[in-house]
Amino acid sequence: MSENKILVFGHKSPDTDTICSALVYADLKNQLGEEAEAVRLGEVGAETQYALDYFHAEAPRRVDTVSNETDKVILVDHNEFQQSADDIKDVQILEVIDHHRIANFETEGPLYFRAEPVGCTATILNKLYKENGINVSKKMAGLMVSSIVSDSLLFKSPTCTEEDVQAAKELAEKADINLEEYGLEMLKAGADMSSKSVEQLLTMDAKEFTMGSHTVKVAQVNVVDADDVLSRKDEVLKSMQQEVDSNGYGLFALAVTDILSNDSVLLTSGEQEAAVHSAFNVKLENHEAVLEGVVSRKKQIVPPLTNALS
Amino acid sequence: MSENKILVFGHKSPDTDTICSALVYADLKNQLGEEAEAVRLGEVGAETQYALDYFHAEAPRRVDTVSNETDKVILVDHNEFQQSADDIKDVQILEVIDHHRIANFETEGPLYFRAEPVGCTATILNKLYKENGINVSKKMAGLMVSSIVSDSLLFKSPTCTEEDVQAAKELAEKADINLEEYGLEMLKAGADMSSKSVEQLLTMDAKEFTMGSHTVKVAQVNVVDADDVLSRKDEVLKSMQQEVDSNGYGLFALAVTDILSNDSVLLTSGEQEAAVHSAFNVKLENHEAVLEGVVSRKKQIVPPLTNALS
């Protein structure tokens, strides 16, 4: 491979926005005459695979480290080093395109850093095509609209902004899809939990937080049928309790989010379970509560839990 | 003052880009219907005052802390917290517009962060007016072109990019000035060192660096007549030696940069003086050496010194 090639990648445990935004930004860079290749730092999920197949796109190549291949990289959809390649400190970061908070990030020299408080990286990439006067192909439009649908849960998440909605409508037209129909099929493709093991359910999208003096883990899965998970409730709770015991969590919560009704069922384990009552004004029954209208961990679950535990 | 007002400011020890970019971005925000006020974290220098007077602009109000006035701020021309307001961690950073490396910066939530590897913040601000479809007034064009002239030393600094040059030409037309004539007069206004005390010469633009196992201080002053400083060489060297002794610097270097010839005279003190020889391939005579074509501390002085001392 060429010495000048730039690797473009998103975060570990990649989701649809991270995979598609890497492919899309590498495409824009190539059109601008720069040699860039999208890579990924983890497995492709079922939802993402649906989008890639639909728009006849290949998944990016899987890598674990980058400094063995290049000394120049571009990060999309993340900036915190612990979410990036393990050897990120050994390469020069030329650019970052992101929509998250900035933390644990540092460079030696100036760079292009474009972060905007929107719901999806692809919404920013759509602007970058325009700013650079480059046309968006049908395939790239398809990957971008898939990212926006995924990050916004079809515009139902409170992280979704008016800019995301407008970008999605514009891109759906270029991709020649019915936005609602395609979006729902794509989300459903990633929401079949019946074939997942209990361990997979608890690890596929799990993050740790510090709340007051407690360490809290909040995992989330999207479903179209909550029974995929709830039919195995005893087994799930047992596994959660084991994690609580071995990691000392004050609370472990699994949000089972129904992408059709936009409600979540919360399963909980740990000494601080009572915080769920004060955080959401609901009663836990046998470690289970329904949170109506709650779909966003970042905006609707973590802040009230943090308040209740602080 | 209004609760919703946003304070816009640049770094401590403000230079022309920091002062003018705060005024300019507050103007753009106001035109977009947001209530924003430019403030400053230090004294206005003679070069900056020349630009403000020429374009009939008021200096921003001086503040030392910001959280007593507002909870929302925008940073221009810097991001590292140690260069910002002392209470920066007590307010929400809504936006950053910058052209430096990113370090010691962190937020709790997403924000608009626009950094580009160009020579001057104002070059980015000029793009932001266009992206937002807002016309640039004569006054704001004048402040932006002044920033570019200052940061690029009239396009002589190696930090200057083609984008900076094009922006300056475009803005000079809007500001109705002869770019070369105005630029030189402005630089000269800031380059009269005859009235500065030795202490001022050594502190007005001084930064500390870690190079290998040594702490090195590099100060810089712009002059049109190096004798403003060199006529007081003995006094300057004595004061530098005192700083070396009390702060344990391995090296203290003062670059006296002639903005007409684009050469620098380096005065040095400290045990590691010999590094100057290997860094620049010049011979020190009585703690003094001429560095031909050297104007940029960031690009032409710090890297070779770092190599020599590592």
Side-chain angles (χ1 to χ4, degrees):
Chain A
M1 98 167 239
S2 158
E3 262 184 31
N4 293 318
K5 185 173 275 189
I6 301 161
L7 294 182
V8 183
F9 50 89
H11 54 76
K12 287 175 176 168
S13 300
D15 57 12
T16 300
D17 187 28
T18 255
I19 294 284
C20 293
S21 287
L23 289 169
V24 168
Y25 200 47
D27 169 80
L28 176 55
K29 283 288 166 189
N30 290 332
Q31 301 224 38
L32 291 169
E34 292 177 62
E35 201 181 350
E37 183 194 358
V39 293
R40 63 184 159 91
L41 301 177
E43 290 310 307
V44 174
E47 177 196 282
T48 308
Q49 193 61 54
Y50 179 92
L52 293 172
D53 291 344
Y54 193 97
F55 293 104
H56 311 292
E58 294 269 335
R61 182 167 57 89
R62 165 82 189 254
V63 301
D64 289 308
T65 56
V66 290
S67 62
N68 49 312
E69 296 196 34
T70 186
D71 55 1
K72 293 187 172 62
V73 305
I74 292 174
L75 311 186
V76 295
D77 197 33
H78 76 296
N79 67 81
E80 301 191 40
F81 283 173
Q82 77 276 10
Q83 301 170 0
S84 199
D86 289 336
D87 58 346
I88 189 66
K89 290 187 179 174
D90 300 331
V91 291
Q92 187 191 355
I93 301 168
L94 296 179
E95 302 187 22
V96 177
I97 317 290
D98 194 14
H99 68 121
H100 295 92
R101 74 173 196 150
I102 298 171
N104 191 19
F105 179 85
E106 183 173 300
T107 59
E108 277 182 23
L111 77 164
Y112 185 90
F113 196 116
R114 180 79 171 256
E116 302 194 18
V118 292
C120 180
T121 306
T123 301
I124 306 168
L125 296 181
N126 187 42
K127 284 164 84 165
L128 292 181
Y129 273 92
K130 291 179 193 175
E131 289 173 18
N132 285 285
I134 302 287
N135 278 331
V136 175
S137 68
K138 182 177 169 181
K139 184 191 281 191
M140 293 304 142
L143 298 180
M144 283 192 270
V145 71
S146 299
S147 292
I148 299 173
V149 165
S150 172
D151 269 12
S152 72
L153 271 186
L154 250 179
F155 319 122
K156 300 291 170 33
S157 170
T159 59
C160 183
T161 69
E162 186 55 31
E163 252 192 88
D164 298 298
V165 176
Q166 289 311 318
K169 285 182 180 169
E170 182 188 310
L171 291 163
E173 209 159 294
K174 288 187 186 168
D176 196 22
I177 54 165
N178 178 306
L179 182 51
E180 293 291 327
E181 281 177 20
Y182 169 81
L184 200 54
E185 287 309 309
M186 189 198 81
L187 291 177
K188 277 184 184 170
D192 177 8
M193 293 298 139
S194 60
S195 61
K196 303 286 182 191
S197 69
V198 168
E199 197 202 332
Q200 284 175 311
L201 294 177
L202 295 177
T203 55
M204 56 194 295
D205 182 12
K207 290 185 179 172
E208 279 184 21
F209 302 89
T210 303
M211 300 183 183
S213 57
H214 311 286
T215 302
V216 174
K217 190 167 194 170
V218 184
Q220 185 172 30
V221 293
N222 290 343
V223 297
V224 284
D225 184 352
D227 276 341
D228 286 358
V229 178
L230 298 180
S231 64
R232 292 178 279 168
K233 179 175 166 181
D234 289 349
E235 206 190 332
V236 171
L237 283 174
K238 194 176 151 198
S239 194
M240 289 171 72
Q241 185 62 49
Q242 282 166 357
E243 273 217 56
V244 164
D245 292 342
S246 55
N247 295 293
Y249 297 133
L251 176 67
F252 186 178
L254 169 67
V256 181
T257 301
D258 188 317
I259 59 173
L260 300 179
S261 70
N262 298 307
D263 300 323
S264 293
V265 174
L266 207 63
L267 297 181
T268 59
S269 182
E271 277 183 6
Q272 303 299 322
E273 274 184 308
V276 171
H277 173 69
S278 49
F280 305 104
N281 199 24
V282 292
K283 205 175 154 194
L284 276 174
E285 293 193 27
N286 187 22
H287 310 284
E288 176 179 338
V290 175
L291 306 183
E292 286 182 14
V294 169
V295 299
S296 169
R297 173 172 52 196
K298 179 162 70 173
K299 286 222 170 180
Q300 295 174 300
I301 298 178
V302 170
L305 270 185
T306 304
N307 275 340
L309 286 167
S310 297
Chain B
M1 101 163 235
S2 158
E3 261 184 33
N4 293 317
K5 184 174 275 192
I6 301 162
L7 293 183
V8 183
F9 50 90
H11 54 76
K12 288 175 177 167
S13 301
D15 57 12
T16 299
D17 186 28
T18 255
I19 294 284
C20 292
S21 286
L23 289 169
V24 168
Y25 200 47
D27 170 80
L28 176 56
K29 284 288 166 188
N30 289 334
Q31 300 223 39
L32 291 169
E34 293 177 60
E35 202 182 348
E37 183 194 358
V39 293
R40 62 183 160 93
L41 301 177
E43 289 312 307
V44 174
E47 177 195 282
T48 308
Q49 193 61 54
Y50 179 91
L52 294 172
D53 291 344
Y54 193 97
F55 293 105
H56 311 292
E58 295 267 336
R61 182 166 58 89
R62 165 83 189 252
V63 301
D64 288 308
T65 57
V66 290
S67 62
N68 49 312
E69 295 195 33
T70 185
D71 55 1
K72 293 188 173 62
V73 304
I74 291 174
L75 310 186
V76 293
D77 197 34
H78 76 296
N79 67 82
E80 301 192 40
F81 283 174
Q82 78 276 9
Q83 302 170 1
S84 198
D86 289 334
D87 58 346
I88 190 65
K89 289 188 178 174
D90 300 331
V91 291
Q92 187 191 354
I93 301 167
L94 295 179
E95 301 188 21
V96 177
I97 317 290
D98 194 12
H99 68 122
H100 295 92
R101 74 173 197 149
I102 297 172
N104 191 18
F105 178 86
E106 183 174 301
T107 59
E108 278 181 24
L111 77 163
Y112 186 89
F113 195 115
R114 180 78 170 257
E116 302 195 17
V118 292
C120 180
T121 306
T123 301
I124 307 168
L125 296 181
N126 187 42
K127 284 164 86 165
L128 292 181
Y129 273 91
K130 290 179 191 174
E131 289 173 17
N132 285 286
I134 303 288
N135 278 331
V136 174
S137 67
K138 182 178 170 181
K139 183 190 282 191
M140 294 303 142
L143 297 180
M144 283 191 271
V145 72
S146 300
S147 292
I148 299 172
V149 165
S150 172
D151 269 11
S152 72
L153 271 186
L154 249 177
F155 319 122
K156 300 290 171 33
S157 171
T159 58
C160 183
T161 69
E162 187 55 31
E163 253 193 87
D164 298 298
V165 176
Q166 290 311 318
K169 286 181 179 170
E170 181 187 312
L171 291 163
E173 209 158 296
K174 287 187 186 168
D176 197 19
I177 55 165
N178 178 307
L179 182 51
E180 293 291 327
E181 281 176 20
Y182 169 80
L184 200 54
E185 287 309 310
M186 188 198 81
L187 291 177
K188 279 184 184 169
D192 177 7
M193 292 300 138
S194 59
S195 61
K196 304 284 180 192
S197 69
V198 167
E199 197 202 334
Q200 283 175 312
L201 294 176
L202 295 177
T203 54
M204 56 194 294
D205 182 12
K207 290 185 178 172
E208 278 184 22
F209 302 89
T210 303
M211 299 184 184
S213 58
H214 310 286
T215 302
V216 175
K217 190 167 194 171
V218 184
Q220 185 171 28
V221 293
N222 291 343
V223 296
V224 284
D225 184 353
D227 276 341
D228 285 0
V229 179
L230 298 179
S231 64
R232 292 179 278 166
K233 180 176 164 182
D234 289 349
E235 205 190 333
V236 171
L237 283 174
K238 191 175 155 199
S239 194
M240 289 171 73
Q241 185 63 48
Q242 282 167 357
E243 273 216 56
V244 165
D245 292 341
S246 55
N247 295 292
Y249 297 134
L251 176 67
F252 185 177
L254 169 67
V256 181
T257 301
D258 187 316
I259 58 172
L260 299 179
S261 69
N262 299 305
D263 301 324
S264 292
V265 174
L266 208 63
L267 297 182
T268 59
S269 182
E271 276 183 8
Q272 302 299 322
E273 274 184 307
V276 171
H277 173 69
S278 48
F280 305 103
N281 199 23
V282 292
K283 205 176 154 194
L284 277 175
E285 292 193 29
N286 188 20
H287 310 284
E288 176 179 338
V290 176
L291 307 182
E292 286 182 13
V294 168
V295 299
S296 168
R297 173 171 52 196
K298 179 162 69 172
K299 286 222 169 180
Q300 296 174 299
I301 298 177
V302 170
L305 270 184
T306 305
N307 275 339
L309 286 166
S310 297

